[in-house]
Amino acid sequence: MRMAKGFEKRETHDGYVFSFCCDLCGHSVMSPALSEDSPRKAWETVRHHFNMCHECGRWICDTHYNEEKMTCIECVPKKIYCTACGSELFIGELYCKNCGNKI
């Protein structure tokens, strides 16, 4: 099983703790303390917090995942819709291009 590239390991009095990061935004999720120094076992405990982009292979958080296309939002931007007029928008836009509503 492939796991996220970005992780940090710390040794605590309870064991080893690993932090895994979203490859786009750096948001991290920490594993519970493990008795062994095993990044793979730690990844199994936090894997459900990440999605793999089926285009570029990066591991990303839900915010940066396009569920419809199973990709990161850099490969295929996620569509959102204006609450005022229903026009299609993209993440990052501040105003609707159709009606001017603030997003």
Side-chain angles (χ1 to χ4, degrees):
M1 169 183 18
R2 243 185 94 232
M3 61 184 215
K5 295 177 210 160
F7 71 89
E8 293 180 5
K9 174 183 77 170
R10 285 187 308 142
E11 190 170 359
T12 68
H13 65 280
D14 292 329
Y16 296 94
V17 176
F18 294 82
S19 292
F20 294 89
C21 300
C22 170
D23 289 338
L24 288 182
C25 71
H27 169 76
S28 66
V29 177
M30 190 176 296
S31 73
L34 301 173
S35 59
E36 57 188 280
D37 181 4
S38 174
R40 291 217 175 270
K41 284 196 180 215
W43 174 245
E44 290 173 12
T45 67
V46 300
R47 161 65 184 89
H48 65 280
H49 292 284
F50 296 92
N51 306 281
M52 188 182 80
C53 175
H54 289 259
E55 189 75 25
C56 66
R58 290 184 279 199
W59 286 98
I60 47 188
C61 64
D62 288 341
T63 302
H64 295 99
Y65 188 63
N66 183 338
E67 303 87 12
E68 293 176 13
K69 301 294 182 180
M70 298 174 64
T71 63
C72 69
I73 62 169
E74 280 193 357
C75 290
V76 180
K78 186 190 276 187
K79 297 176 186 174
I80 56 174
Y81 301 92
C82 176
T83 56
C85 71
S87 292
E88 188 176 311
L89 307 167
F90 289 98
I91 289 181
E93 292 181 321
L94 300 176
Y95 296 91
C96 175
K97 291 179 182 170
N98 185 49
C99 70
N101 184 49
K102 187 175 179 181
I103 307 303

